[in-house]
Amino acid sequence: MRAAGTGAPAPASPAHTSPTPSGTPSAGAAKPLAGRVVAIDPGHNAHNFQHTAEINKPVKVGNGTKECDTTGTSTDGGYAEADFNLDVAHRLRALLTAQGAKVVLTHDGDRPWGPCVTDRAETGNRTKADVALSIHADGAPVGRRGFHVILPGRVDEGGADNGPIVAPSRRLGEDLRDAFQRVTGSARSNYIGRGTGLDTRTDLGGLNLSTVPKVFIECGNMRDPKDAALLTSAKWRQKAALGMAEGIDRYLE
């Protein structure tokens, strides 16, 4: 999730494997998410580094201002977080759609930059999503490993009021954490959350401005070689998507 530096060359990406809806209902089975709307936000944009003026423009997030968007991070081998996020988002969309959900993405790799964090929040709000999830990977020092889920803290200022979604977002976050850990086998973060796998923040516009239950997930640390080996694996990314889908299923039961 951390910015990798705006002047870096475009990172190369490993070959993407088409998402396969493993673990989804078979043909003719009941679709448990029929009628549900899920908003998926693939964090960042692989072309943001080419549009520094646009992404550095400040936007209002209730309790202050933030950059419109950031570049995100990458592995030492050049696999961009933005590419990871979008790949997992596609896999998750396939899984949820197979269960009957209507899935909306904040972007689908079809924009030159962004969108801004304000627009990312608005996608879930406008579609009245039952759940909104922002997918990321972290950029911490080597040795800091594992995943964590970011929950919204209470913000009621500057036109933002996320009070009604704080409690349901925590339930969503707990369900997502438990399912993600079970399916992927990944450990909870050893550097954020004190072993809970949860972190509450009030500095993220995507959470401050949301009017629907929403969390972020940091799937691992791209700067750590052991975590990076997982994040660059298509097989593991499918497990990550399945863990997210099962967490959303559990929350919506």
Side-chain angles (χ1 to χ4, degrees):
M1 186 175 182
R2 290 171 174 79
T6 55
S13 303
H16 287 201
T17 301
S18 299
T20 56
S22 59
T24 58
S26 59
K31 296 192 174 184
L33 298 185
R36 299 290 197 169
V37 178
V38 179
I40 302 175
D41 175 30
H44 311 291
N45 183 314
H47 303 292
N48 274 354
F49 77 97
Q50 297 172 320
H51 298 272
T52 55
E54 291 89 345
I55 68 169
N56 287 333
K57 181 179 178 180
V59 295
K60 296 179 180 179
V61 297
N63 56 0
T65 61
K66 295 282 285 188
E67 301 96 334
C68 160
D69 202 11
T70 56
T71 60
T73 187
S74 66
T75 66
D76 288 344
Y79 183 35
E81 179 196 352
D83 289 332
F84 168 84
N85 299 338
L86 187 59
D87 181 75
V88 175
H90 286 163
R91 295 170 185 276
L92 179 57
R93 178 175 62 184
L95 291 165
L96 296 174
T97 299
Q99 296 184 70
K102 175 183 178 181
V103 178
V104 292
L105 267 59
T106 58
H107 74 99
D108 199 6
D110 52 354
R111 296 174 52 99
W113 56 272
C116 293
V117 295
T118 48
D119 296 325
R120 292 172 186 268
E122 182 57 24
T123 295
N125 299 346
R126 183 182 66 253
T127 58
K128 296 181 171 57
D130 295 285
V131 169
L133 173 62
S134 191
I135 300 172
H136 289 267
D138 212 356
V142 173
R144 298 185 179 184
R145 297 195 61 200
F147 77 94
H148 65 278
V149 178
I150 303 175
L151 313 175
R154 181 77 165 92
V155 174
D156 185 8
E157 57 181 302
D161 180 8
N162 68 357
I165 65 110
V166 168
S169 294
R170 172 167 283 275
R171 293 195 298 271
L172 168 62
E174 291 171 348
D175 287 338
L176 183 66
R177 173 199 62 191
D178 295 346
F180 190 87
Q181 183 173 13
R182 182 179 65 254
V183 175
T184 65
S186 293
R188 299 175 184 180
S189 172
N190 64 7
Y191 63 99
I192 289 178
R194 297 183 178 182
T196 66
L198 302 174
D199 184 35
T200 299
R201 292 175 60 172
T202 59
D203 64 322
L204 297 175
L207 298 180
N208 294 359
L209 300 173
S210 184
T211 59
V212 302
K214 182 174 183 178
V215 297
F216 282 44
I217 184 166
E218 298 278 2
C219 297
N221 177 17
M222 301 199 93
R223 309 303 293 181
D224 180 86
K226 292 180 180 179
D227 271 10
L230 299 176
L231 299 168
T232 55
S233 163
K235 183 177 180 180
W236 188 89
R237 292 196 299 272
Q238 186 66 21
K239 289 182 179 180
L242 184 57
M244 293 176 197
E246 290 193 4
I248 290 171
D249 289 346
R250 177 65 181 270
Y251 173 76
L252 292 175
E253 284 180 352

